[in-house]
Amino acid sequence: EAGVTQFPSHSVIEKGQTVTLRCDPISGHDNLYWYRRVMGKEIKFLLHFVKESKQDESGMPNNRFLAERTGGTYSTLKVQPAELEDSGVYFCASSQDPDSRGTEAFFGQGTRLTVV
Amino acid sequence: GENVEQHPSTLSVQEGDSAVIKCTYSDSASNYFPWYKQELGKGPQLIIDIRSNVGEKKDQRIAVTLNKTAKHFSLHITETQPEDSAVYFCAANRANRDDKIIFGKGTRLHILP
């Protein structure tokens, strides 16, 4: 079974540019999460999809961040325009409906975003 | 909201010795406590978890303890090996579909030869 995959693995962009990160969750997982880790700090929640619906987007830093999950499969996270403080590692995770298998979340390898 | 504190931030132990990482949480409604291991270039991987209805869980060299009254939980690694070197994150969650995982800041564990 394929795990959670993220693209790209690294991205270096200039301040003011746009970047789109992609996450393909494990097939059949309804829950999809985006997290971000700024160097040396905790992994912070950004938002949570249940299928194609945004369940919780309380962690999104500001309106420069836009997440979508059309069709309830893969998800994209767009940052436009990017700022220096957006640099960090962006993780995606997915899990099945907790009523069936608990809340174990599987993480992708992350996208390291560097804004210069 | 939930807040998870994790200590220490860095830990070095001699190979073969034990390592202990401690966490506290603030939300008494949290009932699921996973631990993740992150190796270089990889995403966090679940290594063990514990639910609030048990006080201890063990899986080979790894064990986790939970004190709900004190809101403390700890990870214990015995007979440490070089491959245990990684960043470890504790986390807390309310184990329903509406809740995200709240992570600690991580502990970088170095196993010394």
Side-chain angles (χ1 to χ4, degrees):
Chain A
E1 178 184 278
V4 178
T5 53
Q6 292 185 244
F7 303 96
S9 56
H10 294 86
S11 180
V12 180
I13 62 172
E14 292 185 350
K15 175 181 173 181
Q17 288 186 322
T18 297
V19 62
T20 300
L21 314 180
R22 173 170 168 145
C23 169
D24 286 75
I26 293 173
S27 178
H29 281 193
D30 289 341
N31 296 292
L32 187 149
Y33 307 84
W34 283 99
Y35 290 85
R36 175 175 73 175
R37 188 180 191 215
V38 174
M39 187 160 42
K41 299 196 174 181
E42 69 270 28
I43 300 173
K44 292 194 78 171
F45 168 83
L46 296 179
L47 90 160
H48 170 205
F49 283 100
V50 176
K51 298 184 181 178
E52 67 276 8
S53 299
K54 290 178 185 174
Q55 189 73 26
D56 181 354
E57 51 184 328
S58 61
M60 295 286 264
N62 50 60
N63 58 10
R64 295 186 293 103
F65 289 74
L66 175 64
E68 296 181 324
R69 192 182 182 195
T70 307
T73 55
Y74 71 90
S75 175
T76 58
L77 179 65
K78 181 190 288 187
V79 185
Q80 179 183 30
E83 298 290 344
L84 298 178
E85 63 264 26
D86 300 333
S87 296
V89 181
Y90 290 76
F91 291 106
C92 175
S94 72
S95 69
Q96 287 192 321
D97 184 323
D99 291 338
S100 62
R101 286 193 60 185
T103 58
E104 180 176 354
F106 297 86
F107 281 75
Q109 83 282 10
T111 294
R112 181 174 295 278
L113 175 64
T114 304
V115 183
V116 297
Chain B
E2 176 64 277
N3 182 50
V4 176
E5 297 287 338
Q6 182 172 350
H7 300 280
S9 56
T10 305
L11 177 62
S12 297
V13 299
Q14 212 68 40
E15 183 178 348
D17 288 349
S18 296
V20 180
I21 301 171
K22 298 183 178 182
C23 291
T24 60
Y25 62 99
S26 60
D27 188 350
S28 56
S30 290
N31 56 8
Y32 175 66
F33 306 92
W35 285 87
Y36 288 84
K37 175 183 181 182
Q38 186 184 6
E39 296 174 290
L40 197 62
K42 298 183 179 180
Q45 182 179 13
L46 180 72
I47 55 171
I48 194 167
D49 56 18
I50 190 167
R51 299 182 190 276
S52 58
N53 56 346
V54 297
E56 184 173 356
K57 183 176 178 180
K58 191 173 182 181
D59 182 4
Q60 299 182 348
R61 296 186 297 106
I62 295 174
V64 59
T65 58
L66 171 65
N67 181 332
K68 281 210 71 178
T69 303
K71 299 196 188 76
H72 289 175
F73 58 116
S74 301
L75 178 72
H76 304 252
I77 306 174
T78 58
E79 301 172 22
T80 53
Q81 300 170 4
E83 56 265 34
D84 295 330
S85 293
V87 179
Y88 291 80
F89 294 94
C90 63
N93 170 263
R94 287 188 290 184
N96 69 56
R97 63 187 297 155
D98 296 330
D99 278 312
K100 60 270 192 182
I101 299 170
I102 304 300
F103 287 87
K105 291 187 177 181
T107 296
R108 182 171 295 280
L109 176 63
H110 299 275
I111 306 301
L112 306 173

